[in-house]
Amino acid sequence: MTKEELLSLITEEEWIDVEFKKAESNLPASCWQTVSAFSNSSGGKIIFGVSEENGQFLIRGVKNPEKLQSDFLTTLRGEKFNIALSAKAERLELEGKKLLIFYIPEMPRQSKPIYYGGDIRNTYVRLGSGDQRCSQEEINRLLREASEQSSDSMILDHYTINDLDPETIKKFRNYFSSYDPTSPLLGLSVDDFLRRIGAYSVNRSQNTEGITLAGLLLFGKTEAILERLPAFENQYYYLDSTEWGTGHRWDDRIISQQNLIETFLLIMERIKRHLDSPFFLRDTQRQENTPIMIAIREALVNMLIHQDYFEKKIAQVRHLRNSITFINPGASELREIEDLYAGELTAPRNPLIAKAFRLIGWAELAGTGLLKIIRSWQEMNFELPVLENNLRKYQFSITLSQQQLNNYNSKKTTRKF
């Protein structure tokens, strides 16, 4: 970091990735909260030797930089934290005073949560310019995401084939047969078919077998799903307006607690009902695979396969006269919107559910769905889809606007994909 960069930071408010500490002679206890927060979030810089007084940051310097630096790095590598940490250290002199700068990297998903003092309740994340203690729900979320096993592959105790809806399974196999009529999976019994697609699994190391969470969510009977996930629900609202939240709440809605296959079919049917001209004719035959319908289908699938189903928040589709927004609990691991637009790949939250949707042609290959949405929307000369990854609310949304671009705006605002 240059002196000019540091001065620029000092004259501004603390950023999400910068924290100032006075630390003239000793390490402040609050610095461990910041280490935890940066490690569990996007990383950041802790700068020792700057104090905040009356809303301004003043350069105080540290009296013994060698000792402070040694104490800080030794503590990171010691038993203070649940795993050994490291930091890149840098020293600067400004206005004749010595400052210490430590770069704390974000830790890998598999290492989180990072906490200190042997107490997992001392887990922090960075929100805005402050360190926030994690709730138990947020700690559980970090632990789930750290698991090498995906959530949807977990075997559910005391659940059997009888908890699945045979009509949904039959419907799924019919869709599969139409999409891939030569697949050898079509000749399997129902039980073997469910095993092959991950809806039923065996854990040899623990000598257990049974329905997986993916199997329950994809094919489960409603009462069985709600026994395991009481908050499970997917909502669809249509409002005959161009703006959400004005006047009455909705003109049409679906509150679905049915399994994901049935929910997808219900919501898609209702979207088509309210969508302007969702079909076009080719050789007098109605065609549904228009770019609009392809993008909407992919966005709905994205909402269903990327949800964190252990969250209490509800997934929701908000359909307006000129736009449609898909909101699901569970933020993307990719923090930069540009990476999302570029189609950067991440491990899917529910890979078995995603695989099942791909088997019947309702989803693209992993990581390509967003790109297909964007390309389809651009093909119609609509405004670029708006992607929002809200880490604080722990939710992800896609908004598809049917606002046409004129030639000038098209050149200025669209991108090539």
Side-chain angles (χ1 to χ4, degrees), residues 31-43 75-76 78-86 104-126 132-134 138-139 142-143 146:
C31 73
W32 310 126
Q33 299 177 9
T34 304
V35 171
S36 170
F38 283 156
S39 299
N40 288 319
S41 303
S42 301
T75 302
L76 293 187
E79 298 181 355
K80 183 76 171 179
F81 289 87
N82 56 309
I83 64 171
L85 302 174
S86 62
I104 310 296
E106 178 183 3
M107 294 302 291
R109 169 179 58 84
Q110 294 84 355
S111 300
K112 298 175 183 177
I114 306 301
Y115 56 91
Y116 63 91
D119 189 345
I120 198 170
R121 292 174 296 180
N122 290 328
T123 299
Y124 287 78
V125 291
R126 191 73 171 178
Q132 300 292 324
R133 186 189 294 270
C134 287
E138 290 171 320
I139 292 172
L142 290 170
L143 290 171

Side-chain angles (χ1 to χ4, degrees), residues 58-111:
L58 304 177
I59 300 171
R60 298 299 187 187
V62 296
K63 294 181 178 179
N64 192 340
E66 291 80 10
K67 182 179 184 306
L68 280 180
Q69 178 174 318
S70 176
D71 288 349
F72 185 78
L73 295 177
T74 299
T75 302
L76 293 187
R77 292 193 295 267
E79 298 181 355
K80 183 76 171 179
F81 289 87
N82 56 309
I83 64 171
L85 302 174
S86 62
K88 179 182 177 182
E90 185 179 352
R91 299 186 194 183
L92 275 182
E93 187 168 322
L94 199 61
E95 300 178 1
K97 298 170 183 176
K98 297 177 180 179
L99 304 176
L100 288 176
I101 304 170
F102 294 97
Y103 296 82
I104 310 296
E106 178 183 3
M107 294 302 291
R109 169 179 58 84
Q110 294 84 355
S111 300

Side-chain angles (χ1 to χ4, degrees), residues 105-163:
E106 178 183 3
M107 294 302 291
R109 169 179 58 84
Q110 294 84 355
S111 300
K112 298 175 183 177
I114 306 301
Y115 56 91
Y116 63 91
D119 189 345
I120 198 170
R121 292 174 296 180
N122 290 328
T123 299
Y124 287 78
V125 291
R126 191 73 171 178
L127 294 176
S129 61
D131 306 324
Q132 300 292 324
R133 186 189 294 270
C134 287
S135 65
Q136 187 59 51
E137 184 179 12
E138 290 171 320
I139 292 172
N140 291 341
R141 181 190 303 156
L142 290 170
L143 290 171
R144 287 198 306 272
E145 293 180 346
S147 175
E148 294 295 340
Q149 183 183 35
S150 66
S151 295
D152 69 342
S153 65
M154 66 184 294
I155 297 175
L156 303 177
D157 294 334
H158 312 301
Y159 278 79
T160 70
I161 296 292
N162 292 330
D163 291 303

Side-chain angles (χ1 to χ4, degrees), residues 289-319:
N289 281 330
T290 65
I292 290 178
M293 294 309 300
I294 290 172
I296 288 175
R297 183 198 68 199
E298 288 291 336
L300 177 57
V301 167
N302 186 83
M303 185 188 85
L304 296 177
I305 69 178
H306 290 296
Q307 282 188 57
D308 187 338
Y309 286 99
F310 290 96
E311 289 291 304
K312 295 179 181 178
K313 298 175 182 177
I314 304 299
Q316 192 173 95
V317 180
R318 297 178 178 178
H319 192 176

Side-chain angles (χ1 to χ4, degrees), residues 342-367:
E344 289 288 331
L345 298 181
T346 59
R349 179 171 283 114
N350 299 296
L352 293 178
I353 295 175
K355 176 184 176 182
F357 274 78
R358 290 197 299 272
L359 279 175
I360 55 179
W362 290 0
E364 289 296 299
L365 295 175

Side-chain angles (χ1 to χ4, degrees), residues 20 97 132 143 164 288 412:
F20 296 109
K97 298 170 183 176
Q132 300 292 324
L143 290 171
L164 304 185
E288 296 192 18
K412 280 189 67 176

Side-chain angles (χ1 to χ4, degrees), residues 261-325:
I261 300 301
E262 301 295 347
T263 293
F264 173 86
L265 294 171
L266 277 172
I267 294 179
M268 278 301 296
E269 185 278 329
R270 202 60 60 91
I271 289 174
K272 293 174 184 177
R273 182 184 303 179
H274 295 294
L275 192 68
D276 288 338
S277 303
F279 312 111
F280 68 95
L281 295 177
R282 176 181 295 163
D283 298 329
T284 72
Q285 298 296 314
R286 189 175 74 167
Q287 304 294 318
E288 296 192 18
N289 281 330
T290 65
I292 290 178
M293 294 309 300
I294 290 172
I296 288 175
R297 183 198 68 199
E298 288 291 336
L300 177 57
V301 167
N302 186 83
M303 185 188 85
L304 296 177
I305 69 178
H306 290 296
Q307 282 188 57
D308 187 338
Y309 286 99
F310 290 96
E311 289 291 304
K312 295 179 181 178
K313 298 175 182 177
I314 304 299
Q316 192 173 95
V317 180
R318 297 178 178 178
H319 192 176
L320 298 173
R321 198 184 306 150
N322 61 346
S323 69
I324 184 166
T325 299

